[in-house]
PDB file of all heavy atoms in Angstrom:
ATOM      1  N   LEU A   7       7.129  -5.423  -9.094  1.00  0.00           N
ATOM      2  CA  LEU A   7       6.874  -6.203 -10.305  1.00  0.00           C
ATOM      3  C   LEU A   7       6.571  -7.654  -9.981  1.00  0.00           C
ATOM      4  O   LEU A   7       5.759  -8.300 -10.657  1.00  0.00           O
ATOM      5  CB  LEU A   7       8.082  -6.117 -11.241  1.00  0.00           C
ATOM      6  CG  LEU A   7       8.406  -4.734 -11.819  1.00  0.00           C
ATOM      7  CD1 LEU A   7       9.678  -4.797 -12.652  1.00  0.00           C
ATOM      8  CD2 LEU A   7       7.245  -4.225 -12.661  1.00  0.00           C
ATOM      9  N   GLY A   8       7.193  -8.185  -8.953  1.00  0.00           N
ATOM     10  CA  GLY A   8       7.023  -9.585  -8.618  1.00  0.00           C
ATOM     11  C   GLY A   8       5.782  -9.856  -7.795  1.00  0.00           C
ATOM     12  O   GLY A   8       5.200  -8.954  -7.179  1.00  0.00           O
ATOM     13  N   ALA A   9       5.391 -11.119  -7.781  1.00  0.00           N
ATOM     14  CA  ALA A   9       4.206 -11.504  -7.024  1.00  0.00           C
ATOM     15  C   ALA A   9       4.412 -11.343  -5.530  1.00  0.00           C
ATOM     16  O   ALA A   9       3.507 -10.940  -4.808  1.00  0.00           O
ATOM     17  CB  ALA A   9       3.834 -12.955  -7.348  1.00  0.00           C
ATOM     18  N   GLY A  10       5.614 -11.639  -5.043  1.00  0.00           N
ATOM     19  CA  GLY A  10       5.878 -11.566  -3.620  1.00  0.00           C
ATOM     20  C   GLY A  10       5.760 -12.925  -2.952  1.00  0.00           C
ATOM     21  O   GLY A  10       5.323 -13.903  -3.558  1.00  0.00           O
ATOM     22  N   ASP A  11       6.141 -12.962  -1.688  1.00  0.00           N
ATOM     23  CA  ASP A  11       6.194 -14.209  -0.938  1.00  0.00           C
ATOM     24  C   ASP A  11       5.285 -14.138   0.282  1.00  0.00           C
ATOM     25  O   ASP A  11       5.143 -13.079   0.897  1.00  0.00           O
ATOM     26  CB  ASP A  11       7.634 -14.464  -0.492  1.00  0.00           C
ATOM     27  CG  ASP A  11       7.786 -15.837   0.147  1.00  0.00           C
ATOM     28  OD1 ASP A  11       7.978 -16.821  -0.582  1.00  0.00           O
ATOM     29  OD2 ASP A  11       7.696 -15.912   1.392  1.00  0.00           O
ATOM     30  N   GLY A  12       4.680 -15.273   0.627  1.00  0.00           N
ATOM     31  CA  GLY A  12       3.794 -15.308   1.779  1.00  0.00           C
ATOM     32  C   GLY A  12       4.504 -15.216   3.107  1.00  0.00           C
ATOM     33  O   GLY A  12       3.906 -14.833   4.117  1.00  0.00           O
ATOM     34  N   MET A  13       5.788 -15.590   3.160  1.00  0.00           N
ATOM     35  CA  MET A  13       6.626 -15.457   4.352  1.00  0.00           C
ATOM     36  C   MET A  13       6.015 -16.120   5.583  1.00  0.00           C
ATOM     37  O   MET A  13       6.199 -15.665   6.713  1.00  0.00           O
ATOM     38  CB  MET A  13       6.927 -13.973   4.631  1.00  0.00           C
ATOM     39  CG  MET A  13       7.602 -13.259   3.456  1.00  0.00           C
ATOM     40  SD  MET A  13       7.939 -11.512   3.747  1.00  0.00           S
ATOM     41  CE  MET A  13       9.228 -11.623   5.010  1.00  0.00           C
ATOM     42  N   GLY A  14       5.253 -17.184   5.349  1.00  0.00           N
ATOM     43  CA  GLY A  14       4.692 -17.935   6.457  1.00  0.00           C
ATOM     44  C   GLY A  14       3.578 -17.251   7.211  1.00  0.00           C
ATOM     45  O   GLY A  14       3.199 -17.679   8.303  1.00  0.00           O
ATOM     46  N   THR A  15       2.995 -16.208   6.625  1.00  0.00           N
ATOM     47  CA  THR A  15       1.973 -15.428   7.324  1.00  0.00           C
ATOM     48  C   THR A  15       0.552 -15.928   7.087  1.00  0.00           C
ATOM     49  O   THR A  15      -0.374 -15.510   7.779  1.00  0.00           O
ATOM     50  CB  THR A  15       2.026 -13.958   6.869  1.00  0.00           C
ATOM     51  OG1 THR A  15       1.727 -13.904   5.454  1.00  0.00           O
ATOM     52  CG2 THR A  15       3.391 -13.356   7.122  1.00  0.00           C
ATOM     53  N   GLY A  16       0.362 -16.775   6.066  1.00  0.00           N
ATOM     54  CA  GLY A  16      -0.983 -17.148   5.676  1.00  0.00           C
ATOM     55  C   GLY A  16      -1.612 -16.166   4.705  1.00  0.00           C
ATOM     56  O   GLY A  16      -2.757 -16.351   4.289  1.00  0.00           O
ATOM     57  N   VAL A  17      -0.869 -15.117   4.335  1.00  0.00           N
ATOM     58  CA  VAL A  17      -1.337 -14.130   3.358  1.00  0.00           C
ATOM     59  C   VAL A  17      -0.528 -14.319   2.077  1.00  0.00           C
ATOM     60  O   VAL A  17       0.699 -14.146   2.082  1.00  0.00           O
ATOM     61  CB  VAL A  17      -1.163 -12.684   3.864  1.00  0.00           C
ATOM     62  CG1 VAL A  17      -1.615 -11.688   2.803  1.00  0.00           C
ATOM     63  CG2 VAL A  17      -1.956 -12.476   5.149  1.00  0.00           C
ATOM     64  N   ALA A  18      -1.185 -14.674   1.013  1.00  0.00           N
ATOM     65  CA  ALA A  18      -0.492 -14.860  -0.259  1.00  0.00           C
ATOM     66  C   ALA A  18       0.157 -13.552  -0.710  1.00  0.00           C
ATOM     67  O   ALA A  18      -0.432 -12.482  -0.571  1.00  0.00           O
ATOM     68  CB  ALA A  18      -1.483 -15.344  -1.319  1.00  0.00           C
ATOM     69  N   ARG A  19       1.404 -13.649  -1.196  1.00  0.00           N
ATOM     70  CA  ARG A  19       2.122 -12.481  -1.733  1.00  0.00           C
ATOM     71  C   ARG A  19       2.282 -11.389  -0.667  1.00  0.00           C
ATOM     72  O   ARG A  19       2.274 -10.193  -0.969  1.00  0.00           O
ATOM     73  CB  ARG A  19       1.408 -11.931  -2.971  1.00  0.00           C
ATOM     74  CG  ARG A  19       1.199 -12.977  -4.066  1.00  0.00           C
ATOM     75  CD  ARG A  19       0.211 -12.523  -5.101  1.00  0.00           C
ATOM     76  NE  ARG A  19      -0.010 -13.553  -6.115  1.00  0.00           N
ATOM     77  CZ  ARG A  19      -1.124 -13.658  -6.834  1.00  0.00           C
ATOM     78  NH1 ARG A  19      -2.119 -12.806  -6.621  1.00  0.00           N
ATOM     79  NH2 ARG A  19      -1.250 -14.594  -7.727  1.00  0.00           N
ATOM     80  N   TYR A  20       2.428 -11.808   0.552  1.00  0.00           N
ATOM     81  CA  TYR A  20       2.509 -10.882   1.691  1.00  0.00           C
ATOM     82  C   TYR A  20       3.543  -9.786   1.477  1.00  0.00           C
ATOM     83  O   TYR A  20       3.281  -8.607   1.746  1.00  0.00           O
ATOM     84  CB  TYR A  20       2.836 -11.675   2.961  1.00  0.00           C
ATOM     85  CG  TYR A  20       3.150 -10.824   4.176  1.00  0.00           C
ATOM     86  CD1 TYR A  20       2.155 -10.484   5.073  1.00  0.00           C
ATOM     87  CD2 TYR A  20       4.453 -10.371   4.418  1.00  0.00           C
ATOM     88  CE1 TYR A  20       2.446  -9.712   6.193  1.00  0.00           C
ATOM     89  CE2 TYR A  20       4.746  -9.604   5.525  1.00  0.00           C
ATOM     90  CZ  TYR A  20       3.739  -9.277   6.409  1.00  0.00           C
ATOM     91  OH  TYR A  20       4.031  -8.498   7.505  1.00  0.00           O
ATOM     92  N   SER A  21       4.740 -10.142   1.033  1.00  0.00           N
ATOM     93  CA  SER A  21       5.825  -9.164   0.951  1.00  0.00           C
ATOM     94  C   SER A  21       5.478  -8.005   0.031  1.00  0.00           C
ATOM     95  O   SER A  21       5.766  -6.840   0.343  1.00  0.00           O
ATOM     96  CB  SER A  21       7.122  -9.832   0.497  1.00  0.00           C
ATOM     97  OG  SER A  21       6.966 -10.454  -0.768  1.00  0.00           O
ATOM     98  N   SER A  22       4.841  -8.303  -1.104  1.00  0.00           N
ATOM     99  CA  SER A  22       4.462  -7.229  -2.024  1.00  0.00           C
ATOM    100  C   SER A  22       3.338  -6.369  -1.449  1.00  0.00           C
ATOM    101  O   SER A  22       3.358  -5.138  -1.560  1.00  0.00           O
ATOM    102  CB  SER A  22       4.040  -7.810  -3.373  1.00  0.00           C
ATOM    103  OG  SER A  22       5.151  -8.320  -4.076  1.00  0.00           O
ATOM    104  N   VAL A  23       2.345  -7.010  -0.835  1.00  0.00           N
ATOM    105  CA  VAL A  23       1.229  -6.266  -0.247  1.00  0.00           C
ATOM    106  C   VAL A  23       1.733  -5.343   0.860  1.00  0.00           C
ATOM    107  O   VAL A  23       1.316  -4.182   0.964  1.00  0.00           O
ATOM    108  CB  VAL A  23       0.162  -7.240   0.287  1.00  0.00           C
ATOM    109  CG1 VAL A  23      -0.917  -6.493   1.060  1.00  0.00           C
ATOM    110  CG2 VAL A  23      -0.469  -8.020  -0.872  1.00  0.00           C
ATOM    111  N   ALA A  24       2.657  -5.834   1.698  1.00  0.00           N
ATOM    112  CA  ALA A  24       3.196  -5.019   2.781  1.00  0.00           C
ATOM    113  C   ALA A  24       4.016  -3.850   2.238  1.00  0.00           C
ATOM    114  O   ALA A  24       3.971  -2.740   2.777  1.00  0.00           O
ATOM    115  CB  ALA A  24       4.047  -5.880   3.706  1.00  0.00           C
ATOM    116  N   THR A  25       4.762  -4.097   1.166  1.00  0.00           N
ATOM    117  CA  THR A  25       5.554  -3.032   0.553  1.00  0.00           C
ATOM    118  C   THR A  25       4.652  -1.931   0.013  1.00  0.00           C
ATOM    119  O   THR A  25       4.914  -0.731   0.205  1.00  0.00           O
ATOM    120  CB  THR A  25       6.431  -3.597  -0.578  1.00  0.00           C
ATOM    121  OG1 THR A  25       7.374  -4.504  -0.017  1.00  0.00           O
ATOM    122  CG2 THR A  25       7.163  -2.485  -1.316  1.00  0.00           C
ATOM    123  N   VAL A  26       3.570  -2.320  -0.660  1.00  0.00           N
ATOM    124  CA  VAL A  26       2.649  -1.317  -1.205  1.00  0.00           C
ATOM    125  C   VAL A  26       1.995  -0.523  -0.071  1.00  0.00           C
ATOM    126  O   VAL A  26       1.810   0.695  -0.172  1.00  0.00           O
ATOM    127  CB  VAL A  26       1.584  -1.984  -2.093  1.00  0.00           C
ATOM    128  CG1 VAL A  26       0.531  -0.966  -2.517  1.00  0.00           C
ATOM    129  CG2 VAL A  26       2.236  -2.597  -3.320  1.00  0.00           C
ATOM    130  N   ARG A  27       1.657  -1.200   1.017  1.00  0.00           N
ATOM    131  CA  ARG A  27       1.078  -0.482   2.151  1.00  0.00           C
ATOM    132  C   ARG A  27       2.003   0.639   2.618  1.00  0.00           C
ATOM    133  O   ARG A  27       1.557   1.765   2.854  1.00  0.00           O
ATOM    134  CB  ARG A  27       0.816  -1.448   3.296  1.00  0.00           C
ATOM    135  CG  ARG A  27       0.250  -0.764   4.541  1.00  0.00           C
ATOM    136  CD  ARG A  27       0.391  -1.624   5.773  1.00  0.00           C
ATOM    137  NE  ARG A  27      -0.253  -1.024   6.923  1.00  0.00           N
ATOM    138  CZ  ARG A  27      -0.203  -1.517   8.150  1.00  0.00           C
ATOM    139  NH1 ARG A  27       0.456  -2.642   8.369  1.00  0.00           N
ATOM    140  NH2 ARG A  27      -0.802  -0.915   9.158  1.00  0.00           N
ATOM    141  N   GLU A  28       3.285   0.333   2.750  1.00  0.00           N
ATOM    142  CA  GLU A  28       4.243   1.340   3.213  1.00  0.00           C
ATOM    143  C   GLU A  28       4.388   2.477   2.199  1.00  0.00           C
ATOM    144  O   GLU A  28       4.420   3.660   2.579  1.00  0.00           O
ATOM    145  CB  GLU A  28       5.602   0.677   3.460  1.00  0.00           C
ATOM    146  CG  GLU A  28       5.592  -0.320   4.608  1.00  0.00           C
ATOM    147  CD  GLU A  28       6.886  -1.096   4.721  1.00  0.00           C
ATOM    148  OE1 GLU A  28       7.801  -0.837   3.894  1.00  0.00           O
ATOM    149  OE2 GLU A  28       6.992  -1.948   5.614  1.00  0.00           O
ATOM    150  N   ARG A  29       4.457   2.129   0.921  1.00  0.00           N
ATOM    151  CA  ARG A  29       4.627   3.170  -0.097  1.00  0.00           C
ATOM    152  C   ARG A  29       3.406   4.074  -0.183  1.00  0.00           C
ATOM    153  O   ARG A  29       3.533   5.295  -0.322  1.00  0.00           O
ATOM    154  CB  ARG A  29       4.906   2.511  -1.456  1.00  0.00           C
ATOM    155  CG  ARG A  29       6.260   1.834  -1.539  1.00  0.00           C
ATOM    156  CD  ARG A  29       6.464   1.152  -2.890  1.00  0.00           C
ATOM    157  NE  ARG A  29       7.769   0.489  -2.954  1.00  0.00           N
ATOM    158  CZ  ARG A  29       8.193  -0.238  -3.985  1.00  0.00           C
ATOM    159  NH1 ARG A  29       7.404  -0.399  -5.051  1.00  0.00           N
ATOM    160  NH2 ARG A  29       9.382  -0.803  -3.952  1.00  0.00           N
ATOM    161  N   LEU A  30       2.222   3.472  -0.105  1.00  0.00           N
ATOM    162  CA  LEU A  30       1.011   4.278  -0.173  1.00  0.00           C
ATOM    163  C   LEU A  30       0.902   5.183   1.046  1.00  0.00           C
ATOM    164  O   LEU A  30       0.520   6.360   0.923  1.00  0.00           O
ATOM    165  CB  LEU A  30      -0.216   3.372  -0.281  1.00  0.00           C
ATOM    166  CG  LEU A  30      -1.582   4.068  -0.243  1.00  0.00           C
ATOM    167  CD1 LEU A  30      -1.683   5.159  -1.304  1.00  0.00           C
ATOM    168  CD2 LEU A  30      -2.703   3.043  -0.417  1.00  0.00           C
ATOM    169  N   ALA A  31       1.232   4.669   2.224  1.00  0.00           N
ATOM    170  CA  ALA A  31       1.179   5.493   3.430  1.00  0.00           C
ATOM    171  C   ALA A  31       2.099   6.702   3.299  1.00  0.00           C
ATOM    172  O   ALA A  31       1.741   7.825   3.702  1.00  0.00           O
ATOM    173  CB  ALA A  31       1.558   4.659   4.652  1.00  0.00           C
ATOM    174  N   THR A  32       3.266   6.497   2.715  1.00  0.00           N
ATOM    175  CA  THR A  32       4.209   7.603   2.528  1.00  0.00           C
ATOM    176  C   THR A  32       3.637   8.661   1.597  1.00  0.00           C
ATOM    177  O   THR A  32       3.739   9.870   1.858  1.00  0.00           O
ATOM    178  CB  THR A  32       5.545   7.074   1.968  1.00  0.00           C
ATOM    179  OG1 THR A  32       6.116   6.152   2.907  1.00  0.00           O
ATOM    180  CG2 THR A  32       6.522   8.207   1.723  1.00  0.00           C
ATOM    181  N   VAL A  33       3.011   8.230   0.499  1.00  0.00           N
ATOM    182  CA  VAL A  33       2.415   9.184  -0.438  1.00  0.00           C
ATOM    183  C   VAL A  33       1.239   9.919   0.202  1.00  0.00           C
ATOM    184  O   VAL A  33       1.093  11.142   0.060  1.00  0.00           O
ATOM    185  CB  VAL A  33       1.967   8.466  -1.724  1.00  0.00           C
ATOM    186  CG1 VAL A  33       1.136   9.395  -2.604  1.00  0.00           C
ATOM    187  CG2 VAL A  33       3.179   7.958  -2.495  1.00  0.00           C
ATOM    188  N   LEU A  34       0.406   9.205   0.931  1.00  0.00           N
ATOM    189  CA  LEU A  34      -0.749   9.845   1.565  1.00  0.00           C
ATOM    190  C   LEU A  34      -0.328  10.894   2.583  1.00  0.00           C
ATOM    191  O   LEU A  34      -1.053  11.874   2.808  1.00  0.00           O
ATOM    192  CB  LEU A  34      -1.632   8.786   2.226  1.00  0.00           C
ATOM    193  CG  LEU A  34      -2.415   7.884   1.265  1.00  0.00           C
ATOM    194  CD1 LEU A  34      -3.085   6.748   2.029  1.00  0.00           C
ATOM    195  CD2 LEU A  34      -3.460   8.682   0.485  1.00  0.00           C
ATOM    196  N   ASP A  35       0.827  10.714   3.187  1.00  0.00           N
ATOM    197  CA  ASP A  35       1.313  11.711   4.144  1.00  0.00           C
ATOM    198  C   ASP A  35       1.637  13.032   3.472  1.00  0.00           C
ATOM    199  O   ASP A  35       1.758  14.064   4.162  1.00  0.00           O
ATOM    200  CB  ASP A  35       2.559  11.178   4.868  1.00  0.00           C
ATOM    201  CG  ASP A  35       2.221  10.168   5.954  1.00  0.00           C
ATOM    202  OD1 ASP A  35       1.051  10.130   6.375  1.00  0.00           O
ATOM    203  OD2 ASP A  35       3.135   9.424   6.376  1.00  0.00           O
ATOM    204  N   THR A  36       1.773  13.051   2.149  1.00  0.00           N
ATOM    205  CA  THR A  36       2.068  14.294   1.428  1.00  0.00           C
ATOM    206  C   THR A  36       0.804  15.024   0.995  1.00  0.00           C
ATOM    207  O   THR A  36       0.888  16.147   0.489  1.00  0.00           O
ATOM    208  CB  THR A  36       2.932  14.019   0.190  1.00  0.00           C
ATOM    209  OG1 THR A  36       2.161  13.291  -0.788  1.00  0.00           O
ATOM    210  CG2 THR A  36       4.164  13.214   0.548  1.00  0.00           C
ATOM    211  N   VAL A  37      -0.374  14.392   1.152  1.00  0.00           N
ATOM    212  CA  VAL A  37      -1.621  15.050   0.769  1.00  0.00           C
ATOM    213  C   VAL A  37      -1.915  16.171   1.764  1.00  0.00           C
ATOM    214  O   VAL A  37      -1.936  15.929   2.974  1.00  0.00           O
ATOM    215  CB  VAL A  37      -2.792  14.047   0.749  1.00  0.00           C
ATOM    216  CG1 VAL A  37      -4.115  14.754   0.469  1.00  0.00           C
ATOM    217  CG2 VAL A  37      -2.539  12.967  -0.294  1.00  0.00           C
ATOM    218  N   PRO A  38      -2.115  17.406   1.305  1.00  0.00           N
ATOM    219  CA  PRO A  38      -2.336  18.516   2.226  1.00  0.00           C
ATOM    220  C   PRO A  38      -3.556  18.289   3.118  1.00  0.00           C
ATOM    221  O   PRO A  38      -4.561  17.718   2.690  1.00  0.00           O
ATOM    222  CB  PRO A  38      -2.557  19.715   1.287  1.00  0.00           C
ATOM    223  CG  PRO A  38      -1.882  19.323   0.007  1.00  0.00           C
ATOM    224  CD  PRO A  38      -2.075  17.844  -0.100  1.00  0.00           C
ATOM    225  N   GLU A  39      -3.456  18.720   4.345  1.00  0.00           N
ATOM    226  CA  GLU A  39      -4.570  18.637   5.278  1.00  0.00           C
ATOM    227  C   GLU A  39      -5.764  19.391   4.705  1.00  0.00           C
ATOM    228  O   GLU A  39      -5.640  20.511   4.225  1.00  0.00           O
ATOM    229  CB  GLU A  39      -4.175  19.246   6.629  1.00  0.00           C
ATOM    230  CG  GLU A  39      -5.207  19.074   7.721  1.00  0.00           C
ATOM    231  CD  GLU A  39      -5.328  17.634   8.203  1.00  0.00           C
ATOM    232  OE1 GLU A  39      -4.346  16.886   8.087  1.00  0.00           O
ATOM    233  OE2 GLU A  39      -6.414  17.282   8.682  1.00  0.00           O
ATOM    234  N   GLY A  40      -6.911  18.757   4.710  1.00  0.00           N
ATOM    235  CA  GLY A  40      -8.118  19.393   4.163  1.00  0.00           C
ATOM    236  C   GLY A  40      -8.447  18.944   2.762  1.00  0.00           C
ATOM    237  O   GLY A  40      -9.586  19.091   2.328  1.00  0.00           O
ATOM    238  N   ASP A  41      -7.459  18.402   2.016  1.00  0.00           N
ATOM    239  CA  ASP A  41      -7.749  17.850   0.702  1.00  0.00           C
ATOM    240  C   ASP A  41      -8.343  16.451   0.862  1.00  0.00           C
ATOM    241  O   ASP A  41      -8.133  15.787   1.877  1.00  0.00           O
ATOM    242  CB  ASP A  41      -6.488  17.767  -0.158  1.00  0.00           C
ATOM    243  CG  ASP A  41      -6.042  19.134  -0.641  1.00  0.00           C
ATOM    244  OD1 ASP A  41      -6.673  20.140  -0.261  1.00  0.00           O
ATOM    245  OD2 ASP A  41      -5.041  19.192  -1.383  1.00  0.00           O
ATOM    246  N   LEU A  42      -9.081  16.003  -0.139  1.00  0.00           N
ATOM    247  CA  LEU A  42      -9.721  14.692  -0.087  1.00  0.00           C
ATOM    248  C   LEU A  42      -8.879  13.678  -0.851  1.00  0.00           C
ATOM    249  O   LEU A  42      -8.821  13.719  -2.080  1.00  0.00           O
ATOM    250  CB  LEU A  42     -11.123  14.756  -0.688  1.00  0.00           C
ATOM    251  CG  LEU A  42     -11.865  13.409  -0.779  1.00  0.00           C
ATOM    252  CD1 LEU A  42     -12.205  12.900   0.621  1.00  0.00           C
ATOM    253  CD2 LEU A  42     -13.127  13.531  -1.627  1.00  0.00           C
ATOM    254  N   PRO A  43      -8.220  12.721  -0.160  1.00  0.00           N
ATOM    255  CA  PRO A  43      -7.481  11.682  -0.878  1.00  0.00           C
ATOM    256  C   PRO A  43      -8.436  10.625  -1.417  1.00  0.00           C
ATOM    257  O   PRO A  43      -9.270  10.088  -0.684  1.00  0.00           O
ATOM    258  CB  PRO A  43      -6.559  11.104   0.198  1.00  0.00           C
ATOM    259  CG  PRO A  43      -7.233  11.396   1.496  1.00  0.00           C
ATOM    260  CD  PRO A  43      -8.073  12.621   1.299  1.00  0.00           C
ATOM    261  N   VAL A  44      -8.308  10.332  -2.707  1.00  0.00           N
ATOM    262  CA  VAL A  44      -9.109   9.302  -3.354  1.00  0.00           C
ATOM    263  C   VAL A  44      -8.142   8.265  -3.915  1.00  0.00           C
ATOM    264  O   VAL A  44      -7.385   8.544  -4.843  1.00  0.00           O
ATOM    265  CB  VAL A  44      -9.985   9.879  -4.476  1.00  0.00           C
ATOM    266  CG1 VAL A  44     -10.831   8.779  -5.110  1.00  0.00           C
ATOM    267  CG2 VAL A  44     -10.875  11.001  -3.945  1.00  0.00           C
ATOM    268  N   VAL A  45      -8.176   7.069  -3.336  1.00  0.00           N
ATOM    269  CA  VAL A  45      -7.260   6.008  -3.740  1.00  0.00           C
ATOM    270  C   VAL A  45      -7.912   5.173  -4.831  1.00  0.00           C
ATOM    271  O   VAL A  45      -9.051   4.716  -4.685  1.00  0.00           O
ATOM    272  CB  VAL A  45      -6.887   5.129  -2.534  1.00  0.00           C
ATOM    273  CG1 VAL A  45      -6.059   3.925  -2.984  1.00  0.00           C
ATOM    274  CG2 VAL A  45      -6.105   5.945  -1.515  1.00  0.00           C
ATOM    275  N   ILE A  46      -7.188   4.977  -5.918  1.00  0.00           N
ATOM    276  CA  ILE A  46      -7.679   4.209  -7.050  1.00  0.00           C
ATOM    277  C   ILE A  46      -6.872   2.919  -7.161  1.00  0.00           C
ATOM    278  O   ILE A  46      -5.670   2.941  -7.425  1.00  0.00           O
ATOM    279  CB  ILE A  46      -7.553   5.009  -8.370  1.00  0.00           C
ATOM    280  CG1 ILE A  46      -8.235   6.389  -8.266  1.00  0.00           C
ATOM    281  CG2 ILE A  46      -8.108   4.199  -9.536  1.00  0.00           C
ATOM    282  CD1 ILE A  46      -9.724   6.349  -8.129  1.00  0.00           C
ATOM    283  N   GLY A  47      -7.537   1.758  -6.912  1.00  0.00           N
ATOM    284  CA  GLY A  47      -6.870   0.475  -7.098  1.00  0.00           C
ATOM    285  C   GLY A  47      -7.036   0.022  -8.530  1.00  0.00           C
ATOM    286  O   GLY A  47      -7.729   0.669  -9.314  1.00  0.00           O
ATOM    287  N   GLY A  48      -6.444  -1.085  -8.850  1.00  0.00           N
ATOM    288  CA  GLY A  48      -5.886  -2.130  -8.063  1.00  0.00           C
ATOM    289  C   GLY A  48      -6.930  -2.868  -7.204  1.00  0.00           C
ATOM    290  O   GLY A  48      -8.114  -2.591  -7.192  1.00  0.00           O
ATOM    291  N   ASP A  49      -6.417  -3.929  -6.554  1.00  0.00           N
ATOM    292  CA  ASP A  49      -7.297  -4.696  -5.685  1.00  0.00           C
ATOM    293  C   ASP A  49      -7.595  -3.899  -4.417  1.00  0.00           C
ATOM    294  O   ASP A  49      -6.920  -2.923  -4.089  1.00  0.00           O
ATOM    295  CB  ASP A  49      -6.676  -6.063  -5.388  1.00  0.00           C
ATOM    296  CG  ASP A  49      -5.427  -5.985  -4.533  1.00  0.00           C
ATOM    297  OD1 ASP A  49      -5.539  -5.643  -3.346  1.00  0.00           O
ATOM    298  OD2 ASP A  49      -4.325  -6.288  -5.045  1.00  0.00           O
ATOM    299  N   CYS A  50      -8.624  -4.351  -3.679  1.00  0.00           N
ATOM    300  CA  CYS A  50      -9.092  -3.543  -2.559  1.00  0.00           C
ATOM    301  C   CYS A  50      -8.195  -3.653  -1.336  1.00  0.00           C
ATOM    302  O   CYS A  50      -8.417  -2.950  -0.339  1.00  0.00           O
ATOM    303  CB  CYS A  50     -10.540  -3.862  -2.211  1.00  0.00           C
ATOM    304  SG  CYS A  50     -10.876  -5.577  -1.839  1.00  0.00           S
TER     305      CYS A  50
END
């Protein structure tokens, strides 16, 4: 829900972006082999 913090990385809202990366990776690991994952953003 929050914007997140840059944590000195030079990337605005780094903490939230990194969290979403981990969550999305976990969900994508559940997509059966051979199926086509189509990600709908949100920002790119």
Side-chain angles (χ1 to χ4, degrees):
L7 295 176
D11 187 85
M13 303 179 69
T15 62
V17 178
R19 305 166 182 154
Y20 171 93
S21 59
S22 289
V23 173
T25 296
V26 173
R27 178 197 185 185
E28 294 172 1
R29 291 178 181 177
L30 175 54
T32 299
V33 170
L34 289 172
D35 283 342
T36 69
V37 175
E39 186 71 26
D41 287 3
L42 176 68
V44 181
V45 174
I46 306 293
D49 68 69
C50 56

